[in-house]
Amino acid sequence: SSGINAEYGQVSVHDAPVELDNNSFGISGLKLMGARHDAGKLKITEDIMSDLPYTRLSWVRQDDVKAIGKKITLPVYLNNMRTILVETLDFATDEEKFYERGVAILCTSLT
């Protein structure tokens, strides 16, 4: 072990912009396909697409990552063609079947 802690991306979703620090940035306008964000967690929905509220991405030391309980890792694609993977992000959830439903995040709904 080198004693160096790897950095980790931590995601938090908010209804409105929040204060950012030097280790984070905010994104608005992301689209969520096949799920919705409700009370801090992702939920399966029958809606094809919903807006993901203001999202803050933070880089924190692995040792400082807050436990979010049950989580799902979702792909973030550039658009709805799903040919360009931008990133994967972890979200808190209580539900199953996200992968079977093809739930994903899109940077834009345009093709």
Side-chain angles (χ1 to χ4, degrees), residues 11-110:
V11 179
S12 60
V13 178
H14 308 272
D15 291 329
V18 295
E19 188 173 328
L20 302 173
D21 58 27
N22 290 337
N23 296 321
S24 62
F25 65 94
I27 301 174
S28 61
L30 295 176
K31 305 293 183 189
L32 189 55
M33 292 190 71
R36 64 183 166 81
H37 185 266
D38 183 33
K41 295 187 177 185
L42 292 186
K43 307 281 184 186
I44 296 288
T45 182
E46 296 299 319
D47 296 336
I48 294 173
M49 193 175 309
S50 62
D51 292 328
L52 192 60
Y54 186 82
T55 305
R56 178 176 62 187
L57 300 174
S58 302
W59 277 262
V60 294
R61 290 184 351 178
Q62 187 72 33
D63 295 343
D64 296 335
V65 172
K66 296 176 187 169
I68 61 173
K70 188 174 180 182
K71 67 179 181 176
I72 183 76
T73 301
L74 294 180
V76 180
Y77 293 108
L78 182 62
N79 57 36
N80 63 8
M81 297 294 291
R82 295 184 178 210
T83 55
I84 301 173
L85 179 67
V86 176
E87 179 66 87
T88 59
L89 299 174
D90 294 340
F91 289 88
T93 186
D94 290 332
E95 298 189 22
E96 304 285 335
K97 300 192 180 195
F98 280 92
Y99 297 124
E100 293 93 340
R101 300 283 301 260
V103 174
I105 299 167
L106 306 178
C107 295
T108 178
S109 58
L110 302 175

